[in-house]
Amino acid sequence: MYAAGTPPHKRQRLDSNSAPNGAPKLPPLSLSILGVEPMDEFIKEIADFVHHMIVNRPTHIQGNIEVEAKVGVLRDKGQGGTPGGRIALPVLVETIIAPDSINCMFESNMTAHQHKHYNTLLNNLKMSSTSSPSPVDYHHLYHIDTFYPTEGREREKIRVTRDEKSGNVLGDLNIYSQNATRTGGSPSISRYQAEQHPVGSSIMTRRKDRLSYTHEEFTIDLTQVTKSVSNGASEVLHELELEFTRSELLLATANRRGDPHSSELERAAFDELIRAFVNNARILVRNSTDSWH
């Protein structure tokens, strides 16, 4: 907010004196009548959601917090939970759907052609960023996820992740969390914590061939997943997801959001992270080579 008498900030405009056909010159315009630009409501809604889930998580939940956005398709649940066609909403632009307001499910999958397109796009960005102050880093990873049921908790599974190259075992407890969903993507929050290796038989295995690209504070994972269930059936999926690289930075900025004892820059850091996170997800969706089916 600006004090009375302070002139509003001006957005720089191109000088239109040389415009063809004698077009009138457009003078510099203020960001608004109050001199400030309102925050994008779409981004603010996601920032509020992520912040609420982080700061209000139960005290017994510790470990790393992972916030990720997956790119895929929203489908009608259909009869008996069988996925139907892609949902169609009477809107013209991207929209956040109120939780539980529509009987739909998110499918994190794309075509092999889309997977190849994103691979080419991200590889080109990496090669062209070698001399950039913000270079793109790259790693090729192989993982195996094995899922085990949890007693008395139907919607939760214990997931054991193995690095297929080194054989190191990382135990994670994936806790279901309500997420905000939009057509084209699904931001979600999970926490991961080391646990004892579960006993018994697994119910599903996912073998992941992952191309991981890191840029500034974000990691983009392009993954081919071979999913096998206990009855022997298998399925190949292609996934694209975006996540924060440093969980500790996200948590630190979330704790300072709205803190009157922190500087204005520190209070704004969380929303700036979410803005860049959402814009990265947006630009990936809009640079898809095919339509989503």
Side-chain angles (χ1 to χ4, degrees):
M1 188 60 66
Y2 295 86
T6 303
H9 287 183
K10 303 291 184 180
R11 187 191 302 275
Q12 188 175 6
R13 298 282 182 175
L14 294 176
D15 192 335
S16 56
N17 282 331
S18 58
N21 303 322
K25 179 180 178 181
L26 178 66
L29 300 178
S30 302
L31 297 176
S32 71
I33 195 169
L34 298 180
V36 294
E37 188 167 28
M39 187 175 182
D40 185 319
E41 286 187 346
F42 184 88
I43 294 176
K44 183 178 184 302
E45 185 67 27
I46 295 176
D48 289 345
F49 164 76
V50 174
H51 185 261
H52 176 81
M53 298 298 290
I54 290 176
V55 301
N56 292 288
R57 67 189 188 278
T59 55
H60 70 276
I61 292 183
Q62 300 299 322
N64 291 330
I65 300 295
E66 180 181 274
V67 178
E68 63 182 11
K70 294 186 176 183
V71 179
V73 178
L74 283 167
R75 297 191 182 280
D76 188 284
K77 280 188 176 180
Q79 298 295 324
T82 302
R86 180 181 178 181
I87 66 170
L89 301 178
V91 296
L92 297 178
V93 296
E94 57 191 3
T95 301
I96 299 172
I97 302 173
D100 302 322
S101 62
I102 297 177
N103 189 35
C104 64
M105 59 189 301
F106 177 76
E107 181 182 281
S108 180
N109 193 16
M110 66 176 72
T111 65
H113 185 247
Q114 286 173 316
H115 186 276
K116 182 179 179 181
H117 165 76
Y118 279 118
N119 186 201
T120 302
L121 172 67
L122 293 167
N123 281 341
N124 288 341
L125 287 173
K126 180 193 181 303
M127 294 174 62
S128 64
S129 71
T130 52
S131 59
S132 168
S134 298
V136 176
D137 198 9
Y138 164 83
H139 297 282
H140 197 162
L141 307 172
Y142 298 88
H143 293 289
I144 298 177
D145 287 350
T146 307
F147 291 83
Y148 295 81
T150 56
E151 185 177 353
R153 293 180 292 179
E154 182 180 350
R155 301 193 73 171
E156 298 178 11
K157 303 180 184 70
I158 294 177
R159 188 177 80 190
V160 176
T161 300
R162 291 181 181 269
D163 185 319
E164 194 169 324
K165 284 187 174 180
S166 67
N168 294 327
V169 178
L170 304 174
D172 338 38
L173 180 64
N174 188 8
I175 299 180
Y176 172 84
S177 176
Q178 181 185 37
N179 57 36
T181 310
R182 67 181 176 88
T183 303
S186 176
S188 62
I189 302 172
S190 304
R191 67 98 175 176
Y192 295 90
Q193 178 175 306
E195 295 284 329
Q196 290 185 345
H197 195 292
V199 296
S201 300
S202 64
I203 57 176
M204 183 177 67
T205 298
R206 295 194 304 182
R207 188 181 300 271
K208 298 179 178 180
D209 182 351
R210 172 169 291 168
L211 308 174
S212 187
Y213 301 83
T214 303
H215 178 250
E216 297 179 348
E217 295 297 334
F218 309 99
T219 299
I220 300 169
D221 288 333
L222 189 60
T223 310
Q224 179 175 288
V225 182
T226 302
K227 183 170 65 174
S228 302
V229 294
S230 54
N231 63 7
S234 63
E235 180 182 14
V236 176
L237 305 173
H238 298 88
E239 298 180 348
L240 176 64
E241 59 188 35
L242 167 74
E243 64 184 49
F244 290 88
T245 304
R246 295 193 290 166
S247 173
E248 67 278 9
L249 176 64
L250 184 66
L251 292 177
T253 57
N255 290 332
R256 288 180 173 83
R257 190 193 196 210
D259 180 6
H261 303 294
S262 298
S263 68
E264 182 177 354
L265 188 63
E266 291 175 323
R267 292 196 301 270
F270 178 82
D271 290 81
E272 179 64 12
L273 275 173
I274 298 296
R275 181 196 63 79
F277 175 74
V278 172
N279 282 342
N280 273 301
R282 281 170 157 170
I283 210 71
L284 286 170
V285 170
R286 294 175 188 179
N287 275 275
S288 171
T289 184
D290 296 331
S291 61
W292 300 85
H293 301 291

